[in-house]
Structure formats: structure tokens, C-alpha cells
Amino acid sequence: MVQISDLMIRHPEATSFADLERLVIEAARSGEIHLYFDIKPEYPDTPRKWETRLELAFYNAERVEK
Amino acid sequence: MTMARAGAASSGRRLDGDPFDLGDEASYRAWREAKLGRYPARAEDLVVEIRDATNLAAAERAAIAERCGRANAALYAFTPTPRDEPRLRRDLIAFGAAFGLTAIEDHRSAEADGVVRIEVVRDGGRLGYIPYTDRPISWHTDGYYNYHGPDRCVRAMLLHCARDADQGGENRLLDPEIAYLRLRDSDPGHIEALMHPQAMSIPANVEASGAIRRENVGPVFFVHPGAGALGMRYTARKRNISWRDDERTRRAAAALEDILETDPLVLRVRLRPGQGLICNNILHDRSGFVSSATAGRLLYRIRYNSRINLDAA
């Protein structure tokens, strides 16, 4: 299981929601089975439906072009 | 909060009404459902990595607050951990202060900064007290012998591991809100008995310095009148404690003891160097341990007279 906060804390270089989305995809590809939304990612570009965006990124990681 | 699905951050704040009022069953039911729904199943779920305790990132603050909202506690891991003691002590004080914890208890074993070294001692003022031995410590909340009302008691604490034992030294943890909930589900009379202002007494004690600590009498569960937060004052020890002399109190104390030994929500953790616990004075114990004579188990402890401020995060 990976938590949103784990990704953000381990990757301080990620400064946007788009960066976080990429980290979520990488986590899924590395074998993580569960993504836990423990905190809201507060970036300037965080969309209103951020959970849906990250959920889709996580589930569809294998379909996204590498 | 949620796993790969939408959900709002747990705030840990009270719902409308008073869930700790035995006459407000609707509020209690709503609070109970929310509490059990988000309570962590494993100690690992409470862990947050901290890069710089003196300059927390927003995600670190939010993650600590989220764990405290769910379980009144968070486990943290400093990565890297400061190597020299003065720096570590400053970091610990700054870390607590980032969550509004600035009212540090003036403890007889504390040094000037309010930090206490928990280690095996062979002499000095700490000698004779069980925390400073390698023996197990039974379930308790910190400062149960020093309660002077909901405003004047230990309401939060921080425990940081600098060196672990060779063997043992594990902690079991339980949020007092879970203990309350189990007791109330079993028999609301247990709560009435344990909220009685004379439920548990700790006799007067003559300390090694010759100072006398007065008898300490108070409830087991209490609610802070301003914040509405539940607090707890408890020890499972059998000696130097007296329970209110009535059948209901004895039954409630026995039920609580049973919960602490059997509840599936009791979490188990063995703190490693650099790891620690920050909490609203939750129930915990410690197993006995074995350490080498040269570099034994060393933890630092800070107690606070206020609760963790989730809004500070």
C-alpha cells in the first residue's frame, strides 16, 4: 500500500499535481496494489476532483504511454 | 482515509452533539461509526516520514494530523535522524511545537528543556522508578498520578527512540476513545463508574529527594469542557493504587483490563532509532527488554499539558 503523503514526502521535487500524477503511475507500475488517500495534495494546480484523477491514473497506469 | 476512492480528510473533530454524553445516544452512534470506520488496523498505517523536524513540509504536517485525527496518535520516522543529542532534543521540541505543543510538563526527571531521558539508571534521582529499569511497564496513560483537572494534566506526549534494545522493548498502543467505546458498548454503567471524580486514587508518595507527592484522586475518563475532547487517566498496576470501593467500579476496571488484553484494535510497535510516537496521551505499555551494557536502550520523552492542535497543521 502506498499513501499520497508517502509519495509527496519522498519526492519533495514534485511541485505540482501533474508531478504527483506521474508518481502515482510509477507507484502502480512498481507493483503497489493499493493507493490510500490520506491527505489532500495542496498544489496550485490540484483540480476539484483530485481523488478521481489520481484513482484513474493509478488504475490505468499500465495503459498510459511510458 | 480512503483507499483508491474518493474521501475527505479525517479531521478528528467532534460531530454535532456530544458523543460522550450518556444521554445523547444519537451523537454517540454517529461518532462510534466514524471512529471505527477510520481506525488503523496496523501500526504501520500510522507512520509518517519526516525529513526535517524543524521545517515540516505541508504533506508531513497534514499526514501527522490525519493519523492523529484517526487514532489520537502518529508514528514518525526522522530520515535522517540527528546524531548529536543537543540537536535531537531541539528537533523534538520544535516538532512538538509545530503541532501547538509548547506547554511542556515540569517533571522531576526532566532536564532544563523539559526532555526526559528514559533509560536504565544505576543511581541518581530516577533510581527506583520503573520507567528507568529494563522491566515491563503495564498499561497506563502518562502522568496518571498527577491529575489536577482536565486542564491540568498530561494531555499529549512525545516518545522518541534514540537507541533500541537488543531484545524486547515493544509497546502496545490503544486510543482511549476505543477503550471508551468498547466499555460503553458493553455497559454504559462502566462509563458512569469510570467518570466518577473519585474513581481511581494514587496514594501519597515520599520521593527519593524526600519530597512528598500528595494523594492524587480523579476520574479515569474525563471530557475537557472547552475542547470537548475525551481524556484518560489510567494505570493497570495493582500496587499503590486504590479503586473507588464499590462493585460497579470494580466491574468497570476489570472490563477495561480485559479490553486491553484482548481487543483486536490494540496496535503493536517496536520503535527503532529515529522513530517515535506523538500522541494525545494514549494508552500504552512496554515489554521488558535486554540491552548491552555499553549502549543501552534510550528514549526521550516530552509531556505536554495541551492536546495536539490539528489546525496547526
mmCIF file with all atom_site columns, all heavy atoms in Angstrom, chain B residues 22-39:
data_model
loop_
_atom_site.group_PDB
_atom_site.id
_atom_site.type_symbol
_atom_site.label_atom_id
_atom_site.label_alt_id
_atom_site.label_comp_id
_atom_site.label_asym_id
_atom_site.label_entity_id
_atom_site.label_seq_id
_atom_site.pdbx_PDB_ins_code
_atom_site.Cartn_x
_atom_site.Cartn_y
_atom_site.Cartn_z
_atom_site.occupancy
_atom_site.B_iso_or_equiv
_atom_site.pdbx_formal_charge
_atom_site.auth_seq_id
_atom_site.auth_comp_id
_atom_site.auth_asym_id
_atom_site.auth_atom_id
_atom_site.pdbx_PDB_model_num
ATOM 1   N N   . LEU B 1 22 ? -23.796 10.359 28.038 1.00 0.00 ? 22 LEU B N   1
ATOM 2   C CA  . LEU B 1 22 ? -24.526 9.076  28.045 1.00 0.00 ? 22 LEU B CA  1
ATOM 3   C C   . LEU B 1 22 ? -25.991 9.259  27.652 1.00 0.00 ? 22 LEU B C   1
ATOM 4   O O   . LEU B 1 22 ? -26.654 8.292  27.270 1.00 0.00 ? 22 LEU B O   1
ATOM 5   C CB  . LEU B 1 22 ? -24.422 8.414  29.419 1.00 0.00 ? 22 LEU B CB  1
ATOM 6   C CG  . LEU B 1 22 ? -23.045 7.829  29.760 1.00 0.00 ? 22 LEU B CG  1
ATOM 7   C CD1 . LEU B 1 22 ? -23.015 7.315  31.197 1.00 0.00 ? 22 LEU B CD1 1
ATOM 8   C CD2 . LEU B 1 22 ? -22.648 6.716  28.794 1.00 0.00 ? 22 LEU B CD2 1
ATOM 9   N N   . GLY B 1 23 ? -26.490 10.492 27.717 1.00 0.00 ? 23 GLY B N   1
ATOM 10  C CA  . GLY B 1 23 ? -27.882 10.745 27.330 1.00 0.00 ? 23 GLY B CA  1
ATOM 11  C C   . GLY B 1 23 ? -28.045 11.070 25.861 1.00 0.00 ? 23 GLY B C   1
ATOM 12  O O   . GLY B 1 23 ? -29.168 11.237 25.376 1.00 0.00 ? 23 GLY B O   1
ATOM 13  N N   . ASP B 1 24 ? -26.949 11.174 25.121 1.00 0.00 ? 24 ASP B N   1
ATOM 14  C CA  . ASP B 1 24 ? -27.011 11.563 23.704 1.00 0.00 ? 24 ASP B CA  1
ATOM 15  C C   . ASP B 1 24 ? -26.598 10.364 22.839 1.00 0.00 ? 24 ASP B C   1
ATOM 16  O O   . ASP B 1 24 ? -25.510 10.331 22.273 1.00 0.00 ? 24 ASP B O   1
ATOM 17  C CB  . ASP B 1 24 ? -26.086 12.769 23.475 1.00 0.00 ? 24 ASP B CB  1
ATOM 18  C CG  . ASP B 1 24 ? -26.289 13.399 22.100 1.00 0.00 ? 24 ASP B CG  1
ATOM 19  O OD1 . ASP B 1 24 ? -26.963 12.781 21.248 1.00 0.00 ? 24 ASP B OD1 1
ATOM 20  O OD2 . ASP B 1 24 ? -25.756 14.505 21.876 1.00 0.00 ? 24 ASP B OD2 1
ATOM 21  N N   . GLU B 1 25 ? -27.500 9.416  22.734 1.00 0.00 ? 25 GLU B N   1
ATOM 22  C CA  . GLU B 1 25 ? -27.189 8.163  22.056 1.00 0.00 ? 25 GLU B CA  1
ATOM 23  C C   . GLU B 1 25 ? -26.972 8.371  20.550 1.00 0.00 ? 25 GLU B C   1
ATOM 24  O O   . GLU B 1 25 ? -26.118 7.716  19.942 1.00 0.00 ? 25 GLU B O   1
ATOM 25  C CB  . GLU B 1 25 ? -28.321 7.157  22.308 1.00 0.00 ? 25 GLU B CB  1
ATOM 26  C CG  . GLU B 1 25 ? -28.034 5.734  21.878 1.00 0.00 ? 25 GLU B CG  1
ATOM 27  C CD  . GLU B 1 25 ? -26.857 5.073  22.610 1.00 0.00 ? 25 GLU B CD  1
ATOM 28  O OE1 . GLU B 1 25 ? -26.408 5.605  23.638 1.00 0.00 ? 25 GLU B OE1 1
ATOM 29  O OE2 . GLU B 1 25 ? -26.374 4.030  22.128 1.00 0.00 ? 25 GLU B OE2 1
ATOM 30  N N   . ALA B 1 26 ? -27.732 9.299  19.963 1.00 0.00 ? 26 ALA B N   1
ATOM 31  C CA  . ALA B 1 26 ? -27.609 9.515  18.512 1.00 0.00 ? 26 ALA B CA  1
ATOM 32  C C   . ALA B 1 26 ? -26.215 10.030 18.155 1.00 0.00 ? 26 ALA B C   1
ATOM 33  O O   . ALA B 1 26 ? -25.573 9.547  17.205 1.00 0.00 ? 26 ALA B O   1
ATOM 34  C CB  . ALA B 1 26 ? -28.668 10.502 18.041 1.00 0.00 ? 26 ALA B CB  1
ATOM 35  N N   . SER B 1 27 ? -25.719 10.988 18.947 1.00 0.00 ? 27 SER B N   1
ATOM 36  C CA  . SER B 1 27 ? -24.368 11.515 18.683 1.00 0.00 ? 27 SER B CA  1
ATOM 37  C C   . SER B 1 27 ? -23.328 10.433 18.897 1.00 0.00 ? 27 SER B C   1
ATOM 38  O O   . SER B 1 27 ? -22.353 10.324 18.143 1.00 0.00 ? 27 SER B O   1
ATOM 39  C CB  . SER B 1 27 ? -24.060 12.706 19.599 1.00 0.00 ? 27 SER B CB  1
ATOM 40  O OG  . SER B 1 27 ? -24.900 13.774 19.280 1.00 0.00 ? 27 SER B OG  1
ATOM 41  N N   . TYR B 1 28 ? -23.528 9.650  19.928 1.00 0.00 ? 28 TYR B N   1
ATOM 42  C CA  . TYR B 1 28 ? -22.572 8.582  20.213 1.00 0.00 ? 28 TYR B CA  1
ATOM 43  C C   . TYR B 1 28 ? -22.514 7.583  19.058 1.00 0.00 ? 28 TYR B C   1
ATOM 44  O O   . TYR B 1 28 ? -21.425 7.185  18.617 1.00 0.00 ? 28 TYR B O   1
ATOM 45  C CB  . TYR B 1 28 ? -22.929 7.863  21.518 1.00 0.00 ? 28 TYR B CB  1
ATOM 46  C CG  . TYR B 1 28 ? -22.083 6.623  21.734 1.00 0.00 ? 28 TYR B CG  1
ATOM 47  C CD1 . TYR B 1 28 ? -20.712 6.738  21.972 1.00 0.00 ? 28 TYR B CD1 1
ATOM 48  C CD2 . TYR B 1 28 ? -22.631 5.343  21.630 1.00 0.00 ? 28 TYR B CD2 1
ATOM 49  C CE1 . TYR B 1 28 ? -19.923 5.609  22.127 1.00 0.00 ? 28 TYR B CE1 1
ATOM 50  C CE2 . TYR B 1 28 ? -21.843 4.213  21.788 1.00 0.00 ? 28 TYR B CE2 1
ATOM 51  C CZ  . TYR B 1 28 ? -20.488 4.348  22.032 1.00 0.00 ? 28 TYR B CZ  1
ATOM 52  O OH  . TYR B 1 28 ? -19.700 3.242  22.161 1.00 0.00 ? 28 TYR B OH  1
ATOM 53  N N   . ARG B 1 29 ? -23.669 7.187  18.555 1.00 0.00 ? 29 ARG B N   1
ATOM 54  C CA  . ARG B 1 29 ? -23.715 6.191  17.468 1.00 0.00 ? 29 ARG B CA  1
ATOM 55  C C   . ARG B 1 29 ? -22.994 6.721  16.223 1.00 0.00 ? 29 ARG B C   1
ATOM 56  O O   . ARG B 1 29 ? -22.260 5.996  15.551 1.00 0.00 ? 29 ARG B O   1
ATOM 57  C CB  . ARG B 1 29 ? -25.155 5.825  17.122 1.00 0.00 ? 29 ARG B CB  1
ATOM 58  C CG  . ARG B 1 29 ? -25.836 4.978  18.179 1.00 0.00 ? 29 ARG B CG  1
ATOM 59  C CD  . ARG B 1 29 ? -25.349 3.546  18.130 1.00 0.00 ? 29 ARG B CD  1
ATOM 60  N NE  . ARG B 1 29 ? -25.343 2.948  19.463 1.00 0.00 ? 29 ARG B NE  1
ATOM 61  C CZ  . ARG B 1 29 ? -24.676 1.858  19.803 1.00 0.00 ? 29 ARG B CZ  1
ATOM 62  N NH1 . ARG B 1 29 ? -23.916 1.236  18.927 1.00 0.00 ? 29 ARG B NH1 1
ATOM 63  N NH2 . ARG B 1 29 ? -24.721 1.393  21.024 1.00 0.00 ? 29 ARG B NH2 1
ATOM 64  N N   . ALA B 1 30 ? -23.237 7.989  15.896 1.00 0.00 ? 30 ALA B N   1
ATOM 65  C CA  . ALA B 1 30 ? -22.599 8.581  14.707 1.00 0.00 ? 30 ALA B CA  1
ATOM 66  C C   . ALA B 1 30 ? -21.087 8.654  14.893 1.00 0.00 ? 30 ALA B C   1
ATOM 67  O O   . ALA B 1 30 ? -20.304 8.307  13.995 1.00 0.00 ? 30 ALA B O   1
ATOM 68  C CB  . ALA B 1 30 ? -23.183 9.969  14.447 1.00 0.00 ? 30 ALA B CB  1
ATOM 69  N N   . TRP B 1 31 ? -20.685 9.101  16.071 1.00 0.00 ? 31 TRP B N   1
ATOM 70  C CA  . TRP B 1 31 ? -19.244 9.218  16.373 1.00 0.00 ? 31 TRP B CA  1
ATOM 71  C C   . TRP B 1 31 ? -18.577 7.838  16.356 1.00 0.00 ? 31 TRP B C   1
ATOM 72  O O   . TRP B 1 31 ? -17.491 7.651  15.816 1.00 0.00 ? 31 TRP B O   1
ATOM 73  C CB  . TRP B 1 31 ? -19.083 9.876  17.744 1.00 0.00 ? 31 TRP B CB  1
ATOM 74  C CG  . TRP B 1 31 ? -17.677 9.837  18.264 1.00 0.00 ? 31 TRP B CG  1
ATOM 75  C CD1 . TRP B 1 31 ? -16.659 10.683 17.959 1.00 0.00 ? 31 TRP B CD1 1
ATOM 76  C CD2 . TRP B 1 31 ? -17.138 8.870  19.187 1.00 0.00 ? 31 TRP B CD2 1
ATOM 77  N NE1 . TRP B 1 31 ? -15.522 10.304 18.634 1.00 0.00 ? 31 TRP B NE1 1
ATOM 78  C CE2 . TRP B 1 31 ? -15.789 9.203  19.388 1.00 0.00 ? 31 TRP B CE2 1
ATOM 79  C CE3 . TRP B 1 31 ? -17.674 7.769  19.858 1.00 0.00 ? 31 TRP B CE3 1
ATOM 80  C CZ2 . TRP B 1 31 ? -14.956 8.474  20.235 1.00 0.00 ? 31 TRP B CZ2 1
ATOM 81  C CZ3 . TRP B 1 31 ? -16.850 7.026  20.699 1.00 0.00 ? 31 TRP B CZ3 1
ATOM 82  C CH2 . TRP B 1 31 ? -15.509 7.382  20.878 1.00 0.00 ? 31 TRP B CH2 1
ATOM 83  N N   . ARG B 1 32 ? -19.259 6.862  16.958 1.00 0.00 ? 32 ARG B N   1
ATOM 84  C CA  . ARG B 1 32 ? -18.727 5.499  17.049 1.00 0.00 ? 32 ARG B CA  1
ATOM 85  C C   . ARG B 1 32 ? -18.479 4.916  15.658 1.00 0.00 ? 32 ARG B C   1
ATOM 86  O O   . ARG B 1 32 ? -17.424 4.321  15.396 1.00 0.00 ? 32 ARG B O   1
ATOM 87  C CB  . ARG B 1 32 ? -19.734 4.639  17.816 1.00 0.00 ? 32 ARG B CB  1
ATOM 88  C CG  . ARG B 1 32 ? -19.365 3.184  17.949 1.00 0.00 ? 32 ARG B CG  1
ATOM 89  C CD  . ARG B 1 32 ? -20.542 2.399  18.555 1.00 0.00 ? 32 ARG B CD  1
ATOM 90  N NE  . ARG B 1 32 ? -20.170 1.008  18.744 1.00 0.00 ? 32 ARG B NE  1
ATOM 91  C CZ  . ARG B 1 32 ? -20.117 0.111  17.756 1.00 0.00 ? 32 ARG B CZ  1
ATOM 92  N NH1 . ARG B 1 32 ? -20.421 0.476  16.511 1.00 0.00 ? 32 ARG B NH1 1
ATOM 93  N NH2 . ARG B 1 32 ? -19.760 -1.127 18.013 1.00 0.00 ? 32 ARG B NH2 1
ATOM 94  N N   . GLU B 1 33 ? -19.479 5.115  14.782 1.00 0.00 ? 33 GLU B N   1
ATOM 95  C CA  . GLU B 1 33 ? -19.350 4.560  13.427 1.00 0.00 ? 33 GLU B CA  1
ATOM 96  C C   . GLU B 1 33 ? -18.164 5.190  12.697 1.00 0.00 ? 33 GLU B C   1
ATOM 97  O O   . GLU B 1 33 ? -17.365 4.508  12.055 1.00 0.00 ? 33 GLU B O   1
ATOM 98  C CB  . GLU B 1 33 ? -20.646 4.807  12.654 1.00 0.00 ? 33 GLU B CB  1
ATOM 99  C CG  . GLU B 1 33 ? -20.693 4.084  11.326 1.00 0.00 ? 33 GLU B CG  1
ATOM 100 C CD  . GLU B 1 33 ? -21.998 4.320  10.587 1.00 0.00 ? 33 GLU B CD  1
ATOM 101 O OE1 . GLU B 1 33 ? -22.954 4.806  11.205 1.00 0.00 ? 33 GLU B OE1 1
ATOM 102 O OE2 . GLU B 1 33 ? -22.029 4.042  9.383  1.00 0.00 ? 33 GLU B OE2 1
ATOM 103 N N   . ALA B 1 34 ? -18.053 6.516  12.824 1.00 0.00 ? 34 ALA B N   1
ATOM 104 C CA  . ALA B 1 34 ? -16.945 7.215  12.164 1.00 0.00 ? 34 ALA B CA  1
ATOM 105 C C   . ALA B 1 34 ? -15.606 6.772  12.741 1.00 0.00 ? 34 ALA B C   1
ATOM 106 O O   . ALA B 1 34 ? -14.630 6.556  12.008 1.00 0.00 ? 34 ALA B O   1
ATOM 107 C CB  . ALA B 1 34 ? -17.127 8.724  12.318 1.00 0.00 ? 34 ALA B CB  1
ATOM 108 N N   . LYS B 1 35 ? -15.547 6.619  14.052 1.00 0.00 ? 35 LYS B N   1
ATOM 109 C CA  . LYS B 1 35 ? -14.282 6.254  14.723 1.00 0.00 ? 35 LYS B CA  1
ATOM 110 C C   . LYS B 1 35 ? -13.809 4.872  14.279 1.00 0.00 ? 35 LYS B C   1
ATOM 111 O O   . LYS B 1 35 ? -12.648 4.694  13.887 1.00 0.00 ? 35 LYS B O   1
ATOM 112 C CB  . LYS B 1 35 ? -14.499 6.267  16.244 1.00 0.00 ? 35 LYS B CB  1
ATOM 113 C CG  . LYS B 1 35 ? -13.249 5.963  17.046 1.00 0.00 ? 35 LYS B CG  1
ATOM 114 C CD  . LYS B 1 35 ? -12.348 7.163  17.110 1.00 0.00 ? 35 LYS B CD  1
ATOM 115 C CE  . LYS B 1 35 ? -10.984 6.825  17.673 1.00 0.00 ? 35 LYS B CE  1
ATOM 116 N NZ  . LYS B 1 35 ? -10.092 7.979  17.689 1.00 0.00 ? 35 LYS B NZ  1
ATOM 117 N N   . LEU B 1 36 ? -14.713 3.917  14.326 1.00 0.00 ? 36 LEU B N   1
ATOM 118 C CA  . LEU B 1 36 ? -14.308 2.550  13.955 1.00 0.00 ? 36 LEU B CA  1
ATOM 119 C C   . LEU B 1 36 ? -14.011 2.459  12.458 1.00 0.00 ? 36 LEU B C   1
ATOM 120 O O   . LEU B 1 36 ? -13.143 1.683  12.043 1.00 0.00 ? 36 LEU B O   1
ATOM 121 C CB  . LEU B 1 36 ? -15.409 1.553  14.344 1.00 0.00 ? 36 LEU B CB  1
ATOM 122 C CG  . LEU B 1 36 ? -15.583 1.334  15.849 1.00 0.00 ? 36 LEU B CG  1
ATOM 123 C CD1 . LEU B 1 36 ? -16.779 0.427  16.124 1.00 0.00 ? 36 LEU B CD1 1
ATOM 124 C CD2 . LEU B 1 36 ? -14.314 0.740  16.477 1.00 0.00 ? 36 LEU B CD2 1
ATOM 125 N N   . GLY B 1 37 ? -14.716 3.258  11.679 1.00 0.00 ? 37 GLY B N   1
ATOM 126 C CA  . GLY B 1 37 ? -14.535 3.200  10.228 1.00 0.00 ? 37 GLY B CA  1
ATOM 127 C C   . GLY B 1 37 ? -13.169 3.652  9.770  1.00 0.00 ? 37 GLY B C   1
ATOM 128 O O   . GLY B 1 37 ? -12.682 3.217  8.719  1.00 0.00 ? 37 GLY B O   1
ATOM 129 N N   . ARG B 1 38 ? -12.536 4.520  10.554 1.00 0.00 ? 38 ARG B N   1
ATOM 130 C CA  . ARG B 1 38 ? -11.245 5.048  10.095 1.00 0.00 ? 38 ARG B CA  1
ATOM 131 C C   . ARG B 1 38 ? -10.081 4.618  10.978 1.00 0.00 ? 38 ARG B C   1
ATOM 132 O O   . ARG B 1 38 ? -8.939  5.010  10.736 1.00 0.00 ? 38 ARG B O   1
ATOM 133 C CB  . ARG B 1 38 ? -11.300 6.575  10.006 1.00 0.00 ? 38 ARG B CB  1
ATOM 134 C CG  . ARG B 1 38 ? -11.454 7.234  11.342 1.00 0.00 ? 38 ARG B CG  1
ATOM 135 C CD  . ARG B 1 38 ? -11.664 8.724  11.206 1.00 0.00 ? 38 ARG B CD  1
ATOM 136 N NE  . ARG B 1 38 ? -11.589 9.341  12.515 1.00 0.00 ? 38 ARG B NE  1
ATOM 137 C CZ  . ARG B 1 38 ? -12.248 10.418 12.882 1.00 0.00 ? 38 ARG B CZ  1
ATOM 138 N NH1 . ARG B 1 38 ? -13.019 11.036 12.039 1.00 0.00 ? 38 ARG B NH1 1
ATOM 139 N NH2 . ARG B 1 38 ? -12.123 10.921 14.081 1.00 0.00 ? 38 ARG B NH2 1
ATOM 140 N N   . TYR B 1 39 ? -10.341 3.820  12.000 1.00 0.00 ? 39 TYR B N   1
ATOM 141 C CA  . TYR B 1 39 ? -9.254  3.444  12.911 1.00 0.00 ? 39 TYR B CA  1
ATOM 142 C C   . TYR B 1 39 ? -8.271  2.518  12.196 1.00 0.00 ? 39 TYR B C   1
ATOM 143 O O   . TYR B 1 39 ? -8.671  1.590  11.502 1.00 0.00 ? 39 TYR B O   1
ATOM 144 C CB  . TYR B 1 39 ? -9.814  2.751  14.165 1.00 0.00 ? 39 TYR B CB  1
ATOM 145 C CG  . TYR B 1 39 ? -8.823  2.764  15.302 1.00 0.00 ? 39 TYR B CG  1
ATOM 146 C CD1 . TYR B 1 39 ? -8.602  3.917  16.039 1.00 0.00 ? 39 TYR B CD1 1
ATOM 147 C CD2 . TYR B 1 39 ? -8.083  1.633  15.629 1.00 0.00 ? 39 TYR B CD2 1
ATOM 148 C CE1 . TYR B 1 39 ? -7.674  3.948  17.069 1.00 0.00 ? 39 TYR B CE1 1
ATOM 149 C CE2 . TYR B 1 39 ? -7.159  1.650  16.663 1.00 0.00 ? 39 TYR B CE2 1
ATOM 150 C CZ  . TYR B 1 39 ? -6.954  2.811  17.376 1.00 0.00 ? 39 TYR B CZ  1
ATOM 151 O OH  . TYR B 1 39 ? -6.034  2.850  18.394 1.00 0.00 ? 39 TYR B OH  1
#
